Amino acid sequence: WYVIFFFFFKQKTAYEIYQCDWSSDVCSSDLLIELMRNRRGESGIVFFATTAGVDRMYSRLHAAGWNVGRYYGTKMPTALKSEQQTAFMTGKHPIMLCTNAFGLGIDKADVRWCVHYDPPATISEWVQEFGRCGRDGAQAAVYAFFKNARDGVRARRFLIESEYPPLRLLRCVWTYPLGEAGGFCGTASGLVKAACRAAGERMLGYE
């Protein structure tokens, strides 16, 4: 069963989801370029799961003569991020390739379309990000690419595992008996240290 709540859909916005059953990233990038050609001259945003994905597509599009910008989080110098954001807002770069680091506080009314090149982490993230197009009330379009599960899920799993503790450590934190937590000193940090030892994990700041 699939349950879809329609309350978050916007009026005058078309939604298209593409199932990309391809083993090669070339086919999905070709689809993106086709969509961009069909919407040439309009402002749009393309979301990627990783900075590497942004850089690969930027290199390909830039080499082909497309006028695009790029934006991501901590790996990009602050001055360059500011420059890229300004170029997008003023229309110098009508298309922005980015991770979800882009968009917070962005209020550009004439964004006509957005693409999620990789699956978003959650439905709420998807809704928040495609909400950046069509803010002027005119027609807009939302596109999402879902490749064979292997590619999209692998990228998301990597990001989740990088951001959150492993499940076995969380289990230890909740279930490890305090009486057996060797060296437990009655503090939260002492419990985490003991749980780390029990789970065979190392965590920065608790070693």
Side-chain angles (χ1 to χ4, degrees):
W1 290 88
Y2 296 89
V3 180
I4 300 177
F5 295 92
F6 285 94
F7 67 87
F8 58 71
F9 287 100
K10 301 171 61 175
Q11 293 183 348
K12 295 187 179 181
T13 300
Y15 299 84
E16 299 182 20
I17 299 177
Y18 294 85
Q19 178 66 51
C20 307
D21 294 322
W22 302 307
S23 60
S24 171
D25 187 58
V26 173
C27 294
S28 47
S29 61
D30 286 345
L31 176 58
L32 174 62
I33 292 173
E34 181 181 347
L35 291 174
M36 290 168 57
R37 286 197 184 106
N38 292 339
R39 308 197 71 92
R40 190 183 291 272
E42 296 178 341
S43 181
I45 304 174
V46 186
F47 290 99
F48 295 81
T50 64
T51 59
V54 173
D55 285 337
R56 280 196 302 269
M57 186 57 65
Y58 177 83
S59 295
R60 179 175 182 185
L61 293 175
H62 190 69
W66 285 91
N67 179 18
V68 297
R70 59 178 163 175
Y71 188 106
Y72 39 76
T74 56
K75 293 183 179 180
M76 178 174 283
T78 301
L80 182 55
K81 285 192 287 190
S82 178
E83 176 187 315
Q84 291 292 300
Q85 181 172 316
T86 299
F88 177 70
M89 295 297 291
T90 59
K92 181 180 179 181
H93 292 328
I95 299 172
M96 180 63 75
L97 313 179
C98 59
T99 64
N100 61 5
F102 181 75
L104 296 177
I106 296 296
D107 189 11
K108 181 173 168 61
D110 64 345
V111 176
R112 297 268 64 83
W113 56 271
C114 77
V115 173
H116 278 84
Y117 192 86
D118 300 306
T122 64
I123 292 293
S124 60
E125 181 178 301
W126 182 51
V127 173
Q128 182 187 53
E129 290 168 358
F130 76 58
R132 294 181 175 85
C133 66
R135 291 190 173 183
D136 56 2
Q139 291 287 344
V142 172
Y143 307 101
F145 296 174
F146 286 87
K147 307 172 199 176
N148 54 36
R150 181 181 58 196
D151 294 329
V153 171
R154 181 190 298 137
R156 280 300 169 191
R157 181 177 293 126
F158 170 77
L159 293 176
I160 290 171
E161 291 176 351
S162 300
E163 186 172 354
Y164 298 102
L167 182 59
R168 59 184 175 273
L169 178 58
L170 295 178
R171 283 200 185 104
C172 279
V173 169
W174 285 106
T175 64
Y176 196 60
L178 299 185
E180 299 177 12
F184 177 55
C185 60
T187 65
S189 62
L191 177 57
V192 173
K193 286 180 181 179
C196 287
R197 288 196 298 269
E201 295 288 340
R202 300 177 64 194
M203 290 187 67
L204 187 63
Y206 292 100
E207 301 173 22

